[in-house]
Amino acid sequence: MGSEAPENLAMASSLQISFSSSTGETEEEELHVLAVDDSLIDRIVIERLLRSSAYKVTTAESGPRALELLGLGEEESYEQNPKVNMIITDYCMPEMTGYDLLKRVKESKTLKEIPVVIMSSENVPTRINRCLAEGAEDFILKPLKLSDVKRLRNHMIGMSQRCGLSV
């Protein structure tokens, strides 16, 4: 891990998106990831890895809770809708799978451009292909590693370029 420290510092110093406001001024925004996993331990590991790489992180313990945070919940939600640059979700969760969450996000007019990355501890090719075909940006095998976090940034760069933002 010690040899990765300079890489982390370089990555952490560049993890912001710049965009022009309506007044023409440039604003900077920390990259925000919504991490969804029913396992508390996995959520903590994901959150710490992402925060150590200068990401802002919001966690959710289920697909329905993630949808509430995104403003797509079953019930009216008066919570402030967080601006999310990426969703990373476990595949296998009770109530709603990561695949079902992916489908709901990609069906939404307002959220479909947000990159969704699926994680699983099981390497099942049919599951991986199904998620990628539905629009997942990537499929990562658990446990999440620092090298995976670097890959996540590339997906957010692609999303920001599609939306006309500069990184």
Side-chain angles (χ1 to χ4, degrees):
M1 279 265 185
S3 66
E4 295 173 349
E7 175 187 341
N8 286 350
L9 291 174
M11 187 167 58
S13 66
S14 64
L15 285 178
Q16 295 193 344
I17 294 178
S18 297
F19 60 96
S20 296
S21 67
S22 59
T23 61
E25 297 175 10
T26 299
E27 300 173 13
E28 290 202 353
E29 177 182 304
E30 192 175 24
L31 293 174
H32 186 187
V33 178
L34 175 59
V36 187
D37 201 310
D38 60 315
S39 163
L40 176 60
I41 293 170
D42 285 342
R43 278 196 316 272
I44 291 170
V45 168
I46 294 163
E47 182 175 15
R48 286 187 180 166
L49 266 174
L50 292 170
R51 286 188 195 272
S52 73
S53 296
Y55 289 91
K56 178 180 176 183
V57 182
T58 300
T59 61
E61 69 283 352
S62 68
R65 178 67 182 134
L67 291 175
E68 285 177 28
L69 289 169
L70 294 166
L72 293 178
E74 296 283 324
E75 299 175 17
E76 281 293 316
S77 175
Y78 295 102
E79 294 183 45
Q80 188 169 359
N81 206 5
K83 166 132 178 29
V84 174
N85 302 100
M86 173 173 282
I87 300 166
I88 183 166
T89 180
D90 185 24
Y91 179 88
C92 190
M93 297 183 291
E95 295 182 71
M96 173 183 277
T97 67
Y99 176 76
D100 293 329
L101 176 59
L102 166 70
K103 284 177 47 176
R104 289 284 306 271
V105 168
K106 294 305 176 183
E107 290 167 357
S108 166
K109 291 178 187 175
T110 57
L111 302 175
K112 67 182 177 185
E113 294 299 322
I114 297 174
V116 178
V117 174
I118 308 286
M119 301 176 295
S120 180
S121 55
E122 301 170 353
N123 188 357
V124 181
T126 55
R127 179 182 295 171
I128 295 168
N129 292 335
R130 187 172 119 181
C131 290
L132 295 173
E134 191 64 41
E137 291 290 320
D138 205 346
F139 194 101
I140 296 174
L141 290 175
K142 287 182 174 183
L144 189 70
K145 299 174 287 305
L146 194 56
S147 59
D148 296 324
V149 172
K150 188 173 182 180
R151 281 177 34 206
L152 295 178
R153 182 174 189 277
N154 293 332
H155 295 304
M156 285 188 266
I157 289 171
M159 185 272 302
S160 64
Q161 289 172 344
R162 288 191 301 266
C163 295
L165 305 173
S166 63
V167 177

